[in-house]
Amino acid sequence: MTTAQRVVLPDSVRTNGTTPNPWWSNAVVYQVYPRSFQDSNGDGIGDLKGITSRLDYLADLGVDVLWLSPVYRSPQDDNGYDISDYQDIDPLFGTLEDMDELLAEAHKRGLKIVMDLVVNHTSDEHAWFEASKDKSDPHADWYWWRPARPGTTPGEPGAEPNRWGSYFGGSAWEYCPERGKYYLHQFSKKQPDLNWENPAVRRAVYDMMNWWLDRGVDGFRMDVITLISKRIDSAGRLPGEYGSELEDLPVGEEGYSNPNPFCADGPRQDEFLAEMRREVFAGREGFLTVGEAPGITVQRNEHITNPANGELDMLFLFEHVDFDCEDNVKWKPLPLDLPQLKRIFAKQQSAVKNAGWASLFTGNHDQPRVVSRWGDDSTEGSRVRSAKALGLMLHMHRGTPYVYQGEELGMTDVHFTRLDQYRDLESLNAYRQRVEEAKVQSAESMMAGIAARGRDNARTPMQWDGSAYAGFTAPDAAVEPWISVNRNHTQINAAGEFDDPDSVYTFYKRLIAIRHENALVAAGDWQLIDADDQYVYAFTRTLGGEKLLVAVNLSGRTVDLPRDAAELVQHGVTEPDIVISTYDASHAVVSLANRELGPWEGAAVRV
Ligand code: GLC
Ligand code: CA
């Protein structure tokens, strides 16, 4: 841990609320996807003991917090985002004792652990849902049960309460013969939405959260937490339901309407989050809350993360990873429009200038690998250079950076070519629906779309070394990993990068250290330079009388520095001015003197 070298940020860093300068304002979070991180028992699936065995690696990298994707008991329909018991560990991953051990070993190394909290929905195998099927049970109203449309046959097409589609394909409603009603599921039909209107549901969730915090976890990453409050009419009816005062939207090309405008950031969002803060976090210290926030505007991000409002510490916004596709269809990827990306980040950064906070990410378990998406993984040289450039670009913003496992190695997309290589229900359902049922995309184009955007790109095993299964599971394990290891693990792996001064790993280590050591990077005001430049992403950070120029060439050609950036370095810079650069510092000095940047060259320099 680097606590000793840490700067104490000036309190003026956050003048906006009740907790100036919280501990996480210069922390870096690392996301572990347990299923794919480290297998300790040769069953081909990563587990808690595996994570514990790799803590020294994470401590060396220098991150402060680990966010674990869900390890609770689950039928694994959506890899654990479908929870059947919140207060137990799935046997696939280990036991509660393994979790206690992981917590203790992490804390020994100064690492905090944040768990995923999936409470927009449970699994359909959760005891609450089982009980809810009985209309006389106290849990009867814990989910969104609705009758079939009058005059239809329940279970037949067209009988659904409204036209909403699920994010994982098909209708968002599933008929349950036992209850004689439909239930709402925004995600898979094994992920029924909880009814947050019911105070008993909220009480149960808060009790469960308190139980984990008492056990030693340091906070929560809250899965789709901005979908919990649904828009309903005066009689509690959802849009488009029979007799509802609210209409749903017209149907799209797959035959369903989009529930998001009615479920995202709903009318009781602030009330629920503030209640959770009071019921769970009041009187506790040293925790972190981060909400996954589809459908949230930058203004609302400011409100929710302003400590004065007592809701969440930070949110994940998605516009910057959702815009680079055609007609809003994830499976029709477009190349990066850099000016557009800059505008989106600028909007996010400016909105939290005076109040609230930003989280910074380009990768997670739902996104393709950033080096393949916006960088260039076609040669080893361009892969290393572009991975560093993208890391520098992100980490020099103001906010809390998140590193997704393997990103620090410059891990790439997996480039699968056959459907049977994929495991993710989202990709498999989307293929069936778009290619076979609605016939709105050709097989070839859809395969290309999944290869570019499918979530399995992020979920292939962590590449620890060049051995048969990349060190993820024993090379002689009887069972193959649950999803294939990327073939490039023989070249790209932690063992090869660990001691290499020029590796992506070593570069990320430095990026993380800089956030701890440098108040300008952690807290300085952010200002974009030349929004329209197609190749260079440049901005400044200022704090007190100090100024940092960050300029990153996000292209594989040599390009001119934008004029306003060139002006800041017109009197030249020296090596000591270079805080970090993707080539070496002496190269950056020459490039900046020539007012240019080499392929994927980037630097942060005091001016
Ligand atoms: C979030 C998770 C994603 C999951 C979905 C449903 O978006 O990040 O992995 O499939 O919620 O829980
Ligand atoms: Ca295992």
Tab-separated table of all heavy atoms in Angstrom, residues 93 130 166 191 213 241 344 386 389 407 416 422 424 511 561 574 576 607:
chain	number	residue	atom	x	y	z
A	93	PHE	N	-18.268	-20.601	-5.801
A	93	PHE	CA	-17.224	-19.639	-5.424
A	93	PHE	C	-16.602	-19.946	-4.066
A	93	PHE	O	-15.562	-19.401	-3.733
A	93	PHE	CB	-17.791	-18.215	-5.420
A	93	PHE	CG	-18.317	-17.769	-6.757
A	93	PHE	CD1	-19.644	-17.380	-6.913
A	93	PHE	CD2	-17.488	-17.752	-7.871
A	93	PHE	CE1	-20.131	-16.969	-8.152
A	93	PHE	CE2	-17.959	-17.345	-9.117
A	93	PHE	CZ	-19.289	-16.957	-9.260
A	130	GLU	N	-40.481	-17.407	-4.584
A	130	GLU	CA	-41.260	-18.638	-4.404
A	130	GLU	C	-42.511	-18.337	-3.568
A	130	GLU	O	-43.627	-18.717	-3.935
A	130	GLU	CB	-40.422	-19.711	-3.686
A	130	GLU	CG	-39.253	-20.266	-4.514
A	130	GLU	CD	-39.713	-21.108	-5.701
A	130	GLU	OE1	-40.882	-21.512	-5.725
A	130	GLU	OE2	-38.889	-21.327	-6.620
A	166	SER	N	-37.614	-6.934	-22.713
A	166	SER	CA	-36.555	-7.131	-21.726
A	166	SER	C	-35.209	-6.777	-22.359
A	166	SER	O	-35.035	-6.902	-23.567
A	166	SER	CB	-36.566	-8.588	-21.260
A	166	SER	OG	-35.269	-9.121	-21.264
A	191	GLN	N	-34.961	-13.237	-13.606
A	191	GLN	CA	-34.594	-12.077	-12.784
A	191	GLN	C	-35.813	-11.161	-12.551
A	191	GLN	O	-35.861	-10.046	-13.056
A	191	GLN	CB	-33.459	-11.289	-13.476
A	191	GLN	CG	-32.146	-12.072	-13.556
A	191	GLN	CD	-31.124	-11.431	-14.487
A	191	GLN	OE1	-31.376	-11.257	-15.676
A	191	GLN	NE2	-29.966	-11.069	-13.957
A	213	LEU	N	-22.254	-5.359	5.971
A	213	LEU	CA	-21.329	-4.329	6.478
A	213	LEU	C	-20.819	-4.736	7.859
A	213	LEU	O	-19.635	-4.579	8.164
A	213	LEU	CB	-22.018	-2.957	6.518
A	213	LEU	CG	-22.323	-2.370	5.129
A	213	LEU	CD1	-23.271	-1.189	5.241
A	213	LEU	CD2	-21.041	-1.936	4.400
A	241	GLU	N	-50.563	-0.499	-19.257
A	241	GLU	CA	-51.419	-1.532	-18.651
A	241	GLU	C	-52.885	-1.201	-18.924
A	241	GLU	O	-53.229	-0.009	-19.029
A	241	GLU	CB	-51.232	-1.505	-17.129
A	241	GLU	CG	-50.504	-2.689	-16.576
A	241	GLU	CD	-50.598	-2.688	-15.064
A	241	GLU	OE1	-51.630	-3.135	-14.536
A	241	GLU	OE2	-49.652	-2.219	-14.424
A	344	ILE	N	-18.929	14.217	-24.493
A	344	ILE	CA	-19.655	13.482	-23.448
A	344	ILE	C	-18.893	13.548	-22.126
A	344	ILE	O	-19.459	13.870	-21.077
A	344	ILE	CB	-19.900	12.021	-23.876
A	344	ILE	CG1	-20.809	11.980	-25.110
A	344	ILE	CG2	-20.506	11.221	-22.734
A	344	ILE	CD1	-20.905	10.613	-25.774
A	386	SER	N	-1.446	1.794	-27.530
A	386	SER	CA	-2.815	2.325	-27.427
A	386	SER	C	-3.423	2.010	-26.062
A	386	SER	O	-4.210	2.798	-25.532
A	386	SER	CB	-3.699	1.838	-28.581
A	386	SER	OG	-3.805	0.437	-28.614
A	389	ALA	N	-2.172	4.764	-23.914
A	389	ALA	CA	-2.794	6.048	-24.257
A	389	ALA	C	-4.211	6.128	-23.675
A	389	ALA	O	-4.604	7.148	-23.094
A	389	ALA	CB	-2.835	6.218	-25.773
A	407	GLU	N	-7.363	-5.189	-17.703
A	407	GLU	CA	-7.146	-3.928	-18.420
A	407	GLU	C	-5.716	-3.449	-18.172
A	407	GLU	O	-5.061	-2.902	-19.065
A	407	GLU	CB	-8.165	-2.897	-17.901
A	407	GLU	CG	-8.065	-1.520	-18.527
A	407	GLU	CD	-8.997	-0.518	-17.819
A	407	GLU	OE1	-10.085	-0.907	-17.315
A	407	GLU	OE2	-8.614	0.667	-17.752
A	416	PHE	N	-13.732	-14.369	-30.886
A	416	PHE	CA	-14.401	-15.635	-31.196
A	416	PHE	C	-15.040	-15.527	-32.582
A	416	PHE	O	-15.439	-14.437	-33.011
A	416	PHE	CB	-15.543	-15.911	-30.200
A	416	PHE	CG	-15.103	-16.406	-28.840
A	416	PHE	CD1	-15.900	-16.139	-27.719
A	416	PHE	CD2	-13.945	-17.151	-28.661
A	416	PHE	CE1	-15.539	-16.594	-26.454
A	416	PHE	CE2	-13.576	-17.615	-27.394
A	416	PHE	CZ	-14.372	-17.332	-26.300
A	422	TYR	N	-19.529	-18.587	-27.340
A	422	TYR	CA	-20.048	-17.600	-26.393
A	422	TYR	C	-20.847	-18.275	-25.283
A	422	TYR	O	-21.438	-19.334	-25.475
A	422	TYR	CB	-20.935	-16.580	-27.117
A	422	TYR	CG	-20.149	-15.689	-28.055
A	422	TYR	CD1	-20.186	-15.890	-29.431
A	422	TYR	CD2	-19.360	-14.659	-27.554
A	422	TYR	CE1	-19.464	-15.075	-30.294
A	422	TYR	CE2	-18.630	-13.841	-28.421
A	422	TYR	CZ	-18.688	-14.052	-29.780
A	422	TYR	OH	-17.965	-13.253	-30.628
A	424	ASP	N	-22.552	-15.877	-22.858
A	424	ASP	CA	-23.418	-14.850	-22.284
A	424	ASP	C	-24.842	-14.908	-22.842
A	424	ASP	O	-25.036	-14.859	-24.055
A	424	ASP	CB	-22.809	-13.477	-22.566
A	424	ASP	CG	-23.651	-12.351	-22.006
A	424	ASP	OD1	-24.483	-12.607	-21.120
A	424	ASP	OD2	-23.482	-11.203	-22.475
A	511	LEU	N	0.183	5.108	-13.064
A	511	LEU	CA	-1.046	5.918	-13.106
A	511	LEU	C	-1.733	5.918	-11.741
A	511	LEU	O	-2.220	6.947	-11.265
A	511	LEU	CB	-2.045	5.343	-14.121
A	511	LEU	CG	-1.847	5.622	-15.602
A	511	LEU	CD1	-2.931	4.887	-16.395
A	511	LEU	CD2	-1.903	7.119	-15.891
A	561	LEU	N	-0.037	18.917	-32.331
A	561	LEU	CA	-0.697	19.253	-31.075
A	561	LEU	C	-1.732	20.342	-31.369
A	561	LEU	O	-1.459	21.259	-32.132
A	561	LEU	CB	0.384	19.816	-30.147
A	561	LEU	CG	0.317	19.613	-28.659
A	561	LEU	CD1	0.185	18.141	-28.311
A	561	LEU	CD2	1.578	20.203	-28.020
A	574	THR	N	10.756	20.558	-19.790
A	574	THR	CA	11.946	19.748	-19.495
A	574	THR	C	11.478	18.405	-18.943
A	574	THR	O	10.301	18.250	-18.582
A	574	THR	CB	12.823	20.430	-18.437
A	574	THR	OG1	12.043	20.541	-17.243
A	574	THR	CG2	13.264	21.806	-18.911
A	576	PRO	N	11.807	16.966	-16.058
A	576	PRO	CA	11.122	16.970	-14.757
A	576	PRO	C	9.673	17.478	-14.814
A	576	PRO	O	8.890	17.192	-13.910
A	576	PRO	CB	11.987	17.891	-13.893
A	576	PRO	CG	13.288	18.014	-14.604
A	576	PRO	CD	13.029	17.784	-16.052
A	607	VAL	N	2.774	22.734	-16.689
A	607	VAL	CA	3.042	23.922	-17.539
A	607	VAL	C	2.798	25.200	-16.742
A	607	VAL	O	2.173	25.163	-15.695
A	607	VAL	CB	2.158	23.940	-18.806
A	607	VAL	CG1	2.574	22.834	-19.746
A	607	VAL	CG2	0.682	23.798	-18.447
